[in-house]
Amino acid sequence: MKLIIENSKDPRHNLAREEALLQGIEQETLYLWRNSPSVIIGRNQNTFAEIDEAAAKDEGVLIVRRLTGGGAVYHDLGNVNFSYIFPGGDPDKRRLQGIRMLEEWLSASGADCVFSGRNDICIRDRQGHLCKVCGTAMTQRGDKGIFHGCVLFDCDLEMMSRILT
C-alpha cells in the first residue's frame, strides 16, 4: 500500500488532490492530511441548511464541497483526515477494510474503539460513554473507490458549534 502524507493545509488543494488520486489510482493508497479551519460539505448538501455562512466568513473559515455524500464536517488542525483509495474490489469489503484500518490505528493509540451506526467511529470515555470521533463516507467511480473520514483529536469545539447549524 502506498502512503501519502500531505503538507498542504488548504482544504481546496487537499480535496482536489484526493479526487486526482482517485482518478489516477493504480494501487491501494492511504492519503493523510489536515486542513486549516474549514467546513467540508457533502456532495448533495444545502449549505444554507447546514452552515452559518456569516459566522464562517467572519472567522475566515473556508467552505468546500467534497465528492462524497454525508453531513457537514468542521475541520481544523486538531483533526486528521484519511482517505483510503483503492482500485477495484467489492465496495462493501473495501469499506470494512477501511474501518478495520482506522479501528486498529486508534486502538494502537490506546483508544477503546467501537464502530457505531452506519458511518461513525466512537471511543469510550473514562465513564464508559460512547463519543463520536470520526464520521466516514465512501464513493465508487467505475472500478475505483474511496473511503474517507475526519478523526477528531483536539479541534476547536466552540468554533465548530458556531459554524455548523
Side-chain angles (χ1 to χ4, degrees):
M1 180 180 305
K2 183 176 183 179
L3 173 64
I4 299 172
I5 299 174
E6 181 62 62
N7 290 320
S8 172
K9 306 299 186 269
D10 184 331
R12 298 163 296 194
H13 167 89
N14 295 340
L15 288 165
R17 185 161 189 207
E18 179 188 59
E19 188 161 2
L21 288 168
L22 174 61
Q23 291 172 359
I25 194 74
E26 294 181 14
Q27 65 177 350
E28 288 181 88
T29 300
L30 183 61
Y31 177 51
L32 300 176
W33 41 289
R34 295 186 311 152
N35 285 333
S36 61
S38 51
V39 173
I40 312 304
I41 59 173
R43 179 181 60 219
N44 302 312
Q45 283 188 289
N46 175 351
T47 57
F48 297 115
E50 301 286 335
I51 303 164
D52 182 335
E53 291 192 55
K57 184 176 180 181
D58 289 346
E59 297 289 350
V61 173
L62 293 171
I63 300 170
V64 183
R65 191 172 295 278
R66 67 177 179 268
L67 60 106
T68 58
V73 181
Y74 176 76
H75 287 191
D76 66 16
L77 296 178
N79 300 334
V80 174
N81 305 296
F82 69 91
S83 303
Y84 169 51
I85 306 164
F86 50 88
D90 180 294
D92 289 330
K93 287 181 182 176
R94 292 295 196 167
R95 180 176 162 272
L96 292 173
Q97 186 176 358
I99 290 166
R100 280 193 304 274
M101 281 192 290
L102 183 58
E103 287 176 328
E104 287 173 16
W105 174 51
L106 291 171
S107 294
S109 300
D112 181 9
C113 286
V114 177
F115 184 69
S116 176
R118 204 176 97 216
N119 298 314
D120 298 338
I121 301 288
C122 299
I123 62 169
R124 291 193 194 284
D125 66 12
R126 290 186 177 121
Q127 290 76 38
H129 302 109
L130 285 180
C131 303
K132 179 178 174 179
V133 295
C134 179
T136 64
M138 185 172 174
T139 193
Q140 192 84 11
R141 297 244 174 117
D143 65 341
K144 301 172 182 182
I146 185 168
F147 172 77
H148 64 184
C150 174
V151 182
L152 175 69
F153 281 98
D154 187 28
C155 92
D156 185 340
L157 296 175
E158 289 180 24
M159 177 76 76
M160 180 173 63
S161 65
R162 281 197 306 272
I163 304 296
L164 296 179
T165 58

